[in-house]
PDB file of all heavy atoms in Angstrom:
ATOM      1  N   ILE B   1      -3.295   9.365   0.172  1.00 95.00           N
ATOM      2  CA  ILE B   1      -2.736   8.750   1.337  1.00 95.00           C
ATOM      3  C   ILE B   1      -1.499   9.414   1.849  1.00 95.00           C
ATOM      4  O   ILE B   1      -1.273   9.519   3.084  1.00 95.00           O
ATOM      5  CB  ILE B   1      -2.254   7.315   0.731  1.00 95.00           C
ATOM      6  CG1 ILE B   1      -3.492   6.454   0.343  1.00 95.00           C
ATOM      7  CG2 ILE B   1      -1.356   6.506   1.889  1.00 95.00           C
ATOM      8  CD1 ILE B   1      -3.002   5.095  -0.207  1.00 95.00           C
ATOM      9  N   ILE B   2      -0.730   9.919   0.939  1.00 97.00           N
ATOM     10  CA  ILE B   2       0.577  10.589   1.362  1.00 97.00           C
ATOM     11  C   ILE B   2       0.176  11.892   2.049  1.00 97.00           C
ATOM     12  O   ILE B   2       0.745  12.198   3.083  1.00 97.00           O
ATOM     13  CB  ILE B   2       1.446  10.977   0.118  1.00 97.00           C
ATOM     14  CG1 ILE B   2       1.911   9.578  -0.625  1.00 97.00           C
ATOM     15  CG2 ILE B   2       2.674  11.695   0.438  1.00 97.00           C
ATOM     16  CD1 ILE B   2       2.557   9.740  -1.932  1.00 97.00           C
ATOM     17  N   ALA B   3      -0.864  12.699   1.437  1.00 98.00           N
ATOM     18  CA  ALA B   3      -1.186  13.836   2.063  1.00 98.00           C
ATOM     19  C   ALA B   3      -1.739  13.707   3.537  1.00 98.00           C
ATOM     20  O   ALA B   3      -1.376  14.520   4.398  1.00 98.00           O
ATOM     21  CB  ALA B   3      -2.258  14.580   1.187  1.00 98.00           C
ATOM     22  N   ALA B   4      -2.477  12.710   3.707  1.00 97.00           N
ATOM     23  CA  ALA B   4      -3.055  12.488   5.059  1.00 97.00           C
ATOM     24  C   ALA B   4      -1.938  12.050   5.960  1.00 97.00           C
ATOM     25  O   ALA B   4      -1.924  12.436   7.069  1.00 97.00           O
ATOM     26  CB  ALA B   4      -4.094  11.375   4.964  1.00 97.00           C
ATOM     27  N   GLY B   5      -0.991  11.240   5.549  1.00 97.00           N
ATOM     28  CA  GLY B   5       0.121  10.837   6.320  1.00 97.00           C
ATOM     29  C   GLY B   5       0.928  12.059   6.787  1.00 97.00           C
ATOM     30  O   GLY B   5       1.326  12.243   7.955  1.00 97.00           O
ATOM     31  N   LEU B   6       1.226  12.982   5.908  1.00 98.00           N
ATOM     32  CA  LEU B   6       1.983  14.162   6.141  1.00 98.00           C
ATOM     33  C   LEU B   6       1.265  15.112   7.120  1.00 98.00           C
ATOM     34  O   LEU B   6       1.879  15.615   7.955  1.00 98.00           O
ATOM     35  CB  LEU B   6       2.379  14.884   4.883  1.00 98.00           C
ATOM     36  CG  LEU B   6       3.280  14.159   3.813  1.00 98.00           C
ATOM     37  CD1 LEU B   6       3.499  14.989   2.585  1.00 98.00           C
ATOM     38  CD2 LEU B   6       4.580  13.745   4.418  1.00 98.00           C
ATOM     39  N   ALA B   7      -0.046  15.268   6.911  1.00 98.00           N
ATOM     40  CA  ALA B   7      -0.881  15.984   7.750  1.00 98.00           C
ATOM     41  C   ALA B   7      -0.977  15.540   9.125  1.00 98.00           C
ATOM     42  O   ALA B   7      -1.128  16.357  10.098  1.00 98.00           O
ATOM     43  CB  ALA B   7      -2.185  16.388   7.106  1.00 98.00           C
ATOM     44  N   ARG B   8      -0.786  14.292   9.326  1.00 97.00           N
ATOM     45  CA  ARG B   8      -0.745  13.639  10.566  1.00 97.00           C
ATOM     46  C   ARG B   8       0.609  13.705  11.262  1.00 97.00           C
ATOM     47  O   ARG B   8       0.749  13.546  12.450  1.00 97.00           O
ATOM     48  CB  ARG B   8      -1.131  12.167  10.481  1.00 97.00           C
ATOM     49  CG  ARG B   8      -2.641  11.908  10.173  1.00 97.00           C
ATOM     50  CD  ARG B   8      -3.485  11.912  11.550  1.00 97.00           C
ATOM     51  NE  ARG B   8      -3.113  10.861  12.375  1.00 97.00           N
ATOM     52  CZ  ARG B   8      -3.329  10.853  13.733  1.00 97.00           C
ATOM     53  NH1 ARG B   8      -3.870  11.939  14.255  1.00 97.00           N
ATOM     54  NH2 ARG B   8      -3.093   9.824  14.483  1.00 97.00           N
ATOM     55  N   GLY B   9       1.624  14.126  10.617  1.00 97.00           N
ATOM     56  CA  GLY B   9       2.994  14.354  11.179  1.00 97.00           C
ATOM     57  C   GLY B   9       3.868  13.178  10.848  1.00 97.00           C
ATOM     58  O   GLY B   9       4.955  13.110  11.493  1.00 97.00           O
ATOM     59  N   MET B  10       3.537  12.443   9.894  1.00 97.00           N
ATOM     60  CA  MET B  10       4.466  11.341   9.568  1.00 97.00           C
ATOM     61  C   MET B  10       5.694  11.877   8.714  1.00 97.00           C
ATOM     62  O   MET B  10       5.600  12.855   7.957  1.00 97.00           O
ATOM     63  CB  MET B  10       3.709  10.265   8.747  1.00 97.00           C
ATOM     64  CG  MET B  10       2.662   9.533   9.459  1.00 97.00           C
ATOM     65  SD  MET B  10       1.645   8.356   8.478  1.00 97.00           S
ATOM     66  CE  MET B  10       2.967   7.050   8.107  1.00 97.00           C
ATOM     67  N   THR B  11       6.815  11.185   8.788  1.00 97.00           N
ATOM     68  CA  THR B  11       7.909  11.490   7.906  1.00 97.00           C
ATOM     69  C   THR B  11       7.819  10.849   6.512  1.00 97.00           C
ATOM     70  O   THR B  11       6.956   9.911   6.406  1.00 97.00           O
ATOM     71  CB  THR B  11       9.216  10.877   8.519  1.00 97.00           C
ATOM     72  OG1 THR B  11       9.132   9.544   8.647  1.00 97.00           O
ATOM     73  CG2 THR B  11       9.368  11.466   9.930  1.00 97.00           C
ATOM     74  N   VAL B  12       8.494  11.337   5.566  1.00 98.00           N
ATOM     75  CA  VAL B  12       8.427  10.724   4.239  1.00 98.00           C
ATOM     76  C   VAL B  12       8.896   9.243   4.432  1.00 98.00           C
ATOM     77  O   VAL B  12       8.380   8.390   3.666  1.00 98.00           O
ATOM     78  CB  VAL B  12       9.263  11.610   3.310  1.00 98.00           C
ATOM     79  CG1 VAL B  12       9.393  10.835   1.923  1.00 98.00           C
ATOM     80  CG2 VAL B  12       8.705  12.936   3.172  1.00 98.00           C
ATOM     81  N   GLN B  13       9.998   8.951   5.157  1.00 97.00           N
ATOM     82  CA  GLN B  13      10.480   7.646   5.286  1.00 97.00           C
ATOM     83  C   GLN B  13       9.411   6.608   5.833  1.00 97.00           C
ATOM     84  O   GLN B  13       9.229   5.470   5.373  1.00 97.00           O
ATOM     85  CB  GLN B  13      11.719   7.566   6.191  1.00 97.00           C
ATOM     86  CG  GLN B  13      12.259   6.254   6.270  1.00 97.00           C
ATOM     87  CD  GLN B  13      12.612   5.596   4.951  1.00 97.00           C
ATOM     88  OE1 GLN B  13      13.264   6.155   4.152  1.00 97.00           O
ATOM     89  NE2 GLN B  13      12.077   4.370   4.796  1.00 97.00           N
ATOM     90  N   GLU B  14       8.578   7.089   6.828  1.00 96.00           N
ATOM     91  CA  GLU B  14       7.486   6.265   7.273  1.00 96.00           C
ATOM     92  C   GLU B  14       6.460   6.007   6.209  1.00 96.00           C
ATOM     93  O   GLU B  14       6.037   4.817   6.104  1.00 96.00           O
ATOM     94  CB  GLU B  14       6.840   7.013   8.440  1.00 96.00           C
ATOM     95  CG  GLU B  14       7.700   7.062   9.699  1.00 96.00           C
ATOM     96  CD  GLU B  14       7.071   7.918  10.849  1.00 96.00           C
ATOM     97  OE1 GLU B  14       6.368   8.970  10.459  1.00 96.00           O
ATOM     98  OE2 GLU B  14       7.357   7.544  12.032  1.00 96.00           O
ATOM     99  N   LEU B  15       6.261   6.976   5.383  1.00 96.00           N
ATOM    100  CA  LEU B  15       5.218   6.681   4.303  1.00 96.00           C
ATOM    101  C   LEU B  15       5.815   5.776   3.214  1.00 96.00           C
ATOM    102  O   LEU B  15       5.170   4.983   2.566  1.00 96.00           O
ATOM    103  CB  LEU B  15       4.740   8.093   3.727  1.00 96.00           C
ATOM    104  CG  LEU B  15       3.722   8.686   4.575  1.00 96.00           C
ATOM    105  CD1 LEU B  15       3.651  10.187   4.244  1.00 96.00           C
ATOM    106  CD2 LEU B  15       2.355   8.120   4.421  1.00 96.00           C
ATOM    107  N   THR B  16       7.110   5.927   2.968  1.00 95.00           N
ATOM    108  CA  THR B  16       7.809   5.132   2.049  1.00 95.00           C
ATOM    109  C   THR B  16       7.703   3.599   2.482  1.00 95.00           C
ATOM    110  O   THR B  16       7.498   2.698   1.716  1.00 95.00           O
ATOM    111  CB  THR B  16       9.248   5.493   1.690  1.00 95.00           C
ATOM    112  OG1 THR B  16       9.196   6.902   1.369  1.00 95.00           O
ATOM    113  CG2 THR B  16      10.013   4.558   0.827  1.00 95.00           C
ATOM    114  N   SER B  17       7.908   3.404   3.834  1.00 93.00           N
ATOM    115  CA  SER B  17       7.807   2.071   4.379  1.00 93.00           C
ATOM    116  C   SER B  17       6.422   1.448   4.223  1.00 93.00           C
ATOM    117  O   SER B  17       6.214   0.271   3.957  1.00 93.00           O
ATOM    118  CB  SER B  17       8.247   2.080   5.787  1.00 93.00           C
ATOM    119  OG  SER B  17       9.547   2.427   5.941  1.00 93.00           O
ATOM    120  N   PHE B  18       5.483   2.410   4.352  1.00 91.00           N
ATOM    121  CA  PHE B  18       4.030   2.011   4.129  1.00 91.00           C
ATOM    122  C   PHE B  18       3.813   1.453   2.766  1.00 91.00           C
ATOM    123  O   PHE B  18       3.265   0.373   2.500  1.00 91.00           O
ATOM    124  CB  PHE B  18       3.139   3.154   4.455  1.00 91.00           C
ATOM    125  CG  PHE B  18       1.691   2.873   4.083  1.00 91.00           C
ATOM    126  CD1 PHE B  18       0.746   2.407   5.103  1.00 91.00           C
ATOM    127  CD2 PHE B  18       1.105   3.197   2.772  1.00 91.00           C
ATOM    128  CE1 PHE B  18      -0.601   2.281   4.760  1.00 91.00           C
ATOM    129  CE2 PHE B  18      -0.212   2.895   2.556  1.00 91.00           C
ATOM    130  CZ  PHE B  18      -1.119   2.407   3.449  1.00 91.00           C
ATOM    131  N   TYR B  19       4.266   2.220   1.699  1.00 90.00           N
ATOM    132  CA  TYR B  19       4.188   1.816   0.415  1.00 90.00           C
ATOM    133  C   TYR B  19       4.902   0.561  -0.088  1.00 90.00           C
ATOM    134  O   TYR B  19       4.342  -0.388  -0.782  1.00 90.00           O
ATOM    135  CB  TYR B  19       4.534   2.932  -0.625  1.00 90.00           C
ATOM    136  CG  TYR B  19       3.469   3.830  -0.824  1.00 90.00           C
ATOM    137  CD1 TYR B  19       3.029   4.867   0.055  1.00 90.00           C
ATOM    138  CD2 TYR B  19       2.762   3.795  -2.162  1.00 90.00           C
ATOM    139  CE1 TYR B  19       1.995   5.666  -0.268  1.00 90.00           C
ATOM    140  CE2 TYR B  19       1.715   4.694  -2.458  1.00 90.00           C
ATOM    141  CZ  TYR B  19       1.328   5.563  -1.517  1.00 90.00           C
ATOM    142  OH  TYR B  19       0.245   6.456  -1.812  1.00 90.00           O
ATOM    143  N   THR B  20       6.163   0.396   0.481  1.00 89.00           N
ATOM    144  CA  THR B  20       6.882  -0.767   0.158  1.00 89.00           C
ATOM    145  C   THR B  20       6.296  -2.023   0.840  1.00 89.00           C
ATOM    146  O   THR B  20       6.566  -3.155   0.324  1.00 89.00           O
ATOM    147  CB  THR B  20       8.332  -0.577   0.452  1.00 89.00           C
ATOM    148  OG1 THR B  20       8.486  -0.174   1.847  1.00 89.00           O
ATOM    149  CG2 THR B  20       9.004   0.497  -0.333  1.00 89.00           C
ATOM    150  N   SER B  21       5.636  -1.888   1.920  1.00 85.00           N
ATOM    151  CA  SER B  21       5.080  -3.096   2.618  1.00 85.00           C
ATOM    152  C   SER B  21       3.672  -3.457   2.121  1.00 85.00           C
ATOM    153  O   SER B  21       3.431  -4.574   1.807  1.00 85.00           O
ATOM    154  CB  SER B  21       5.103  -2.855   4.047  1.00 85.00           C
ATOM    155  OG  SER B  21       4.281  -1.729   4.431  1.00 85.00           O
ATOM    156  N   ILE B  22       2.914  -2.385   1.901  1.00 80.00           N
ATOM    157  CA  ILE B  22       1.456  -2.733   1.579  1.00 80.00           C
ATOM    158  C   ILE B  22       1.221  -2.627   0.087  1.00 80.00           C
ATOM    159  O   ILE B  22       0.222  -3.141  -0.488  1.00 80.00           O
ATOM    160  CB  ILE B  22       0.489  -1.709   2.287  1.00 80.00           C
ATOM    161  CG1 ILE B  22      -1.011  -2.122   2.114  1.00 80.00           C
ATOM    162  CG2 ILE B  22       0.627  -0.287   1.738  1.00 80.00           C
ATOM    163  CD1 ILE B  22      -1.253  -3.491   2.712  1.00 80.00           C
ATOM    164  N   GLY B  23       2.186  -2.004  -0.742  1.00 75.00           N
ATOM    165  CA  GLY B  23       2.007  -1.869  -2.243  1.00 75.00           C
ATOM    166  C   GLY B  23       1.711  -3.223  -2.878  1.00 75.00           C
ATOM    167  O   GLY B  23       0.801  -3.335  -3.651  1.00 75.00           O
ATOM    168  N   PRO B  24       2.582  -4.144  -2.622  1.00 74.00           N
ATOM    169  CA  PRO B  24       2.345  -5.485  -3.335  1.00 74.00           C
ATOM    170  C   PRO B  24       1.063  -6.138  -2.975  1.00 74.00           C
ATOM    171  O   PRO B  24       0.354  -6.643  -3.847  1.00 74.00           O
ATOM    172  CB  PRO B  24       3.555  -6.294  -2.765  1.00 74.00           C
ATOM    173  CG  PRO B  24       4.618  -5.306  -2.527  1.00 74.00           C
ATOM    174  CD  PRO B  24       3.904  -4.162  -1.876  1.00 74.00           C
ATOM    175  N   GLU B  25       0.568  -5.864  -1.746  1.00 70.00           N
ATOM    176  CA  GLU B  25      -0.721  -6.529  -1.338  1.00 70.00           C
ATOM    177  C   GLU B  25      -1.823  -5.784  -2.001  1.00 70.00           C
ATOM    178  O   GLU B  25      -2.891  -6.413  -2.411  1.00 70.00           O
ATOM    179  CB  GLU B  25      -0.829  -6.321   0.154  1.00 70.00           C
ATOM    180  CG  GLU B  25      -2.211  -6.854   0.844  1.00 70.00           C
ATOM    181  CD  GLU B  25      -2.234  -8.359   0.777  1.00 70.00           C
ATOM    182  OE1 GLU B  25      -1.148  -9.074   0.755  1.00 70.00           O
ATOM    183  OE2 GLU B  25      -3.383  -8.905   0.709  1.00 70.00           O
ATOM    184  N   MET B  26      -1.683  -4.509  -2.231  1.00 68.00           N
ATOM    185  CA  MET B  26      -2.779  -3.792  -2.913  1.00 68.00           C
ATOM    186  C   MET B  26      -2.897  -3.989  -4.325  1.00 68.00           C
ATOM    187  O   MET B  26      -3.962  -4.183  -4.942  1.00 68.00           O
ATOM    188  CB  MET B  26      -2.597  -2.245  -2.652  1.00 68.00           C
ATOM    189  CG  MET B  26      -2.839  -1.729  -1.325  1.00 68.00           C
ATOM    190  SD  MET B  26      -2.798   0.075  -1.150  1.00 68.00           S
ATOM    191  CE  MET B  26      -1.123   0.505  -1.503  1.00 68.00           C
ATOM    192  N   PHE B  27      -1.694  -4.122  -5.012  1.00 63.00           N
ATOM    193  CA  PHE B  27      -1.750  -4.151  -6.550  1.00 63.00           C
ATOM    194  C   PHE B  27      -1.251  -5.349  -7.279  1.00 63.00           C
ATOM    195  O   PHE B  27      -1.506  -5.468  -8.420  1.00 63.00           O
ATOM    196  CB  PHE B  27      -0.958  -2.960  -7.031  1.00 63.00           C
ATOM    197  CG  PHE B  27      -1.535  -1.523  -6.646  1.00 63.00           C
ATOM    198  CD1 PHE B  27      -0.919  -0.811  -5.726  1.00 63.00           C
ATOM    199  CD2 PHE B  27      -2.602  -1.062  -7.354  1.00 63.00           C
ATOM    200  CE1 PHE B  27      -1.551   0.470  -5.296  1.00 63.00           C
ATOM    201  CE2 PHE B  27      -3.181   0.210  -6.905  1.00 63.00           C
ATOM    202  CZ  PHE B  27      -2.701   0.913  -5.966  1.00 63.00           C
ATOM    203  N   GLN B  28      -0.674  -6.314  -6.512  1.00 57.00           N
ATOM    204  CA  GLN B  28      -0.220  -7.475  -7.202  1.00 57.00           C
ATOM    205  C   GLN B  28      -1.221  -8.292  -7.811  1.00 57.00           C
ATOM    206  O   GLN B  28      -2.273  -8.482  -7.227  1.00 57.00           O
ATOM    207  CB  GLN B  28       0.522  -8.362  -6.143  1.00 57.00           C
ATOM    208  CG  GLN B  28       1.361  -9.484  -6.882  1.00 57.00           C
ATOM    209  CD  GLN B  28       2.363 -10.003  -5.890  1.00 57.00           C
ATOM    210  OE1 GLN B  28       1.946 -10.404  -4.763  1.00 57.00           O
ATOM    211  NE2 GLN B  28       3.623 -10.391  -6.286  1.00 57.00           N
ATOM    212  N   LYS B  29      -1.108  -8.495  -9.137  1.00 52.00           N
ATOM    213  CA  LYS B  29      -2.268  -9.134  -9.839  1.00 52.00           C
ATOM    214  C   LYS B  29      -2.812 -10.531  -9.300  1.00 52.00           C
ATOM    215  O   LYS B  29      -3.983 -10.692  -9.286  1.00 52.00           O
ATOM    216  CB  LYS B  29      -1.803  -9.523 -11.335  1.00 52.00           C
ATOM    217  CG  LYS B  29      -1.638  -8.228 -12.230  1.00 52.00           C
ATOM    218  CD  LYS B  29      -1.338  -8.607 -13.526  1.00 52.00           C
ATOM    219  CE  LYS B  29      -1.341  -7.199 -14.467  1.00 52.00           C
ATOM    220  NZ  LYS B  29      -0.443  -6.256 -14.027  1.00 52.00           N
ATOM    221  N   GLU B  30      -1.934 -11.337  -8.785  1.00 46.00           N
ATOM    222  CA  GLU B  30      -2.342 -12.611  -8.257  1.00 46.00           C
ATOM    223  C   GLU B  30      -3.394 -12.402  -6.997  1.00 46.00           C
ATOM    224  O   GLU B  30      -4.316 -13.011  -6.782  1.00 46.00           O
ATOM    225  CB  GLU B  30      -1.257 -13.513  -7.764  1.00 46.00           C
ATOM    226  CG  GLU B  30      -0.384 -14.018  -8.847  1.00 46.00           C
ATOM    227  CD  GLU B  30       0.704 -12.961  -9.366  1.00 46.00           C
ATOM    228  OE1 GLU B  30       0.732 -11.859  -8.940  1.00 46.00           O
ATOM    229  OE2 GLU B  30       1.415 -13.253 -10.253  1.00 46.00           O
ATOM    230  N   ARG B  31      -2.994 -11.465  -6.183  1.00 49.00           N
ATOM    231  CA  ARG B  31      -3.821 -11.105  -4.945  1.00 49.00           C
ATOM    232  C   ARG B  31      -5.014 -10.314  -5.360  1.00 49.00           C
ATOM    233  O   ARG B  31      -6.092 -10.406  -4.754  1.00 49.00           O
ATOM    234  CB  ARG B  31      -2.941 -10.248  -3.937  1.00 49.00           C
ATOM    235  CG  ARG B  31      -1.743 -11.132  -3.494  1.00 49.00           C
ATOM    236  CD  ARG B  31      -0.859 -10.368  -2.491  1.00 49.00           C
ATOM    237  NE  ARG B  31       0.255 -11.151  -2.179  1.00 49.00           N
ATOM    238  CZ  ARG B  31       1.165 -10.785  -1.331  1.00 49.00           C
ATOM    239  NH1 ARG B  31       1.109  -9.617  -0.709  1.00 49.00           N
ATOM    240  NH2 ARG B  31       2.201 -11.625  -0.962  1.00 49.00           N
ATOM    241  N   LEU B  32      -4.891  -9.485  -6.352  1.00 46.00           N
ATOM    242  CA  LEU B  32      -6.034  -8.920  -6.976  1.00 46.00           C
ATOM    243  C   LEU B  32      -7.096  -9.834  -7.439  1.00 46.00           C
ATOM    244  O   LEU B  32      -8.287  -9.848  -7.119  1.00 46.00           O
ATOM    245  CB  LEU B  32      -5.661  -7.988  -8.096  1.00 46.00           C
ATOM    246  CG  LEU B  32      -6.838  -7.357  -8.892  1.00 46.00           C
ATOM    247  CD1 LEU B  32      -7.665  -6.406  -7.997  1.00 46.00           C
ATOM    248  CD2 LEU B  32      -6.235  -6.453  -9.962  1.00 46.00           C
ATOM    249  N   LEU B  33      -6.627 -10.877  -8.109  1.00 47.00           N
ATOM    250  CA  LEU B  33      -7.581 -11.931  -8.588  1.00 47.00           C
ATOM    251  C   LEU B  33      -8.322 -12.652  -7.503  1.00 47.00           C
ATOM    252  O   LEU B  33      -9.516 -12.919  -7.563  1.00 47.00           O
ATOM    253  CB  LEU B  33      -6.917 -12.849  -9.582  1.00 47.00           C
ATOM    254  CG  LEU B  33      -6.449 -12.308 -10.893  1.00 47.00           C
ATOM    255  CD1 LEU B  33      -5.626 -13.288 -11.603  1.00 47.00           C
ATOM    256  CD2 LEU B  33      -7.611 -11.968 -11.742  1.00 47.00           C
ATOM    257  N   HIS B  34      -7.554 -12.799  -6.332  1.00 52.00           N
ATOM    258  CA  HIS B  34      -7.968 -13.495  -5.209  1.00 52.00           C
ATOM    259  C   HIS B  34      -9.131 -12.708  -4.717  1.00 52.00           C
ATOM    260  O   HIS B  34     -10.264 -13.143  -4.208  1.00 52.00           O
ATOM    261  CB  HIS B  34      -6.904 -13.696  -4.118  1.00 52.00           C
ATOM    262  CG  HIS B  34      -7.443 -14.255  -2.862  1.00 52.00           C
ATOM    263  ND1 HIS B  34      -7.844 -15.522  -2.717  1.00 52.00           N
ATOM    264  CD2 HIS B  34      -7.649 -13.620  -1.728  1.00 52.00           C
ATOM    265  CE1 HIS B  34      -8.276 -15.634  -1.378  1.00 52.00           C
ATOM    266  NE2 HIS B  34      -8.185 -14.571  -0.770  1.00 52.00           N
ATOM    267  N   ARG B  35      -8.947 -11.381  -4.604  1.00 47.00           N
ATOM    268  CA  ARG B  35     -10.008 -10.406  -4.026  1.00 47.00           C
ATOM    269  C   ARG B  35     -11.247 -10.459  -4.842  1.00 47.00           C
ATOM    270  O   ARG B  35     -12.282 -10.471  -4.366  1.00 47.00           O
ATOM    271  CB  ARG B  35      -9.355  -9.077  -3.854  1.00 47.00           C
ATOM    272  CG  ARG B  35      -8.434  -8.893  -2.716  1.00 47.00           C
ATOM    273  CD  ARG B  35      -8.310  -7.507  -2.229  1.00 47.00           C
ATOM    274  NE  ARG B  35      -8.013  -6.476  -3.196  1.00 47.00           N
ATOM    275  CZ  ARG B  35      -6.793  -6.217  -3.618  1.00 47.00           C
ATOM    276  NH1 ARG B  35      -5.864  -6.824  -3.107  1.00 47.00           N
ATOM    277  NH2 ARG B  35      -6.631  -5.211  -4.556  1.00 47.00           N
ATOM    278  N   LEU B  36     -11.158 -10.573  -6.241  1.00 47.00           N
ATOM    279  CA  LEU B  36     -12.085 -10.448  -7.091  1.00 47.00           C
ATOM    280  C   LEU B  36     -12.948 -11.732  -6.937  1.00 47.00           C
ATOM    281  O   LEU B  36     -14.231 -11.777  -6.939  1.00 47.00           O
ATOM    282  CB  LEU B  36     -11.620 -10.412  -8.612  1.00 47.00           C
ATOM    283  CG  LEU B  36     -11.166  -8.993  -8.980  1.00 47.00           C
ATOM    284  CD1 LEU B  36     -10.508  -9.147 -10.474  1.00 47.00           C
ATOM    285  CD2 LEU B  36     -12.209  -7.995  -8.978  1.00 47.00           C
ATOM    286  N   ARG B  37     -12.417 -12.890  -6.786  1.00 48.00           N
ATOM    287  CA  ARG B  37     -13.071 -14.164  -6.429  1.00 48.00           C
ATOM    288  C   ARG B  37     -13.779 -14.102  -5.250  1.00 48.00           C
ATOM    289  O   ARG B  37     -14.859 -14.799  -5.059  1.00 48.00           O
ATOM    290  CB  ARG B  37     -12.167 -15.341  -6.561  1.00 48.00           C
ATOM    291  CG  ARG B  37     -11.331 -15.593  -7.782  1.00 48.00           C
ATOM    292  CD  ARG B  37     -10.748 -16.928  -7.745  1.00 48.00           C
ATOM    293  NE  ARG B  37      -9.653 -17.052  -8.824  1.00 48.00           N
ATOM    294  CZ  ARG B  37      -8.409 -16.933  -8.633  1.00 48.00           C
ATOM    295  NH1 ARG B  37      -7.962 -16.554  -7.494  1.00 48.00           N
ATOM    296  NH2 ARG B  37      -7.529 -17.031  -9.694  1.00 48.00           N
TER     297      ARG B  37
END
């Protein structure tokens, strides 16, 4: 994810914002269980 973003010309801050915003949605256990169901 990071490599692709950098190769596209994104800044590190832009990618950090991506992780802080989408990270909980990707990995939070409650939402993970919802996806499994």
Side-chain angles (χ1 to χ4, degrees):
I1 298 176
I2 301 171
L6 296 177
R8 284 281 289 159
M10 295 176 69
T11 65
V12 174
Q13 181 54 53
E14 287 171 330
L15 283 162
T16 301
S17 297
F18 173 92
Y19 269 76
T20 53
S21 63
I22 191 61
E25 179 70 24
M26 287 192 292
F27 293 104
Q28 197 168 37
K29 285 184 171 63
E30 293 83 358
R31 297 178 185 182
L32 170 62
L33 290 172
H34 173 77
R35 291 204 301 275
L36 288 172
R37 293 192 198 101

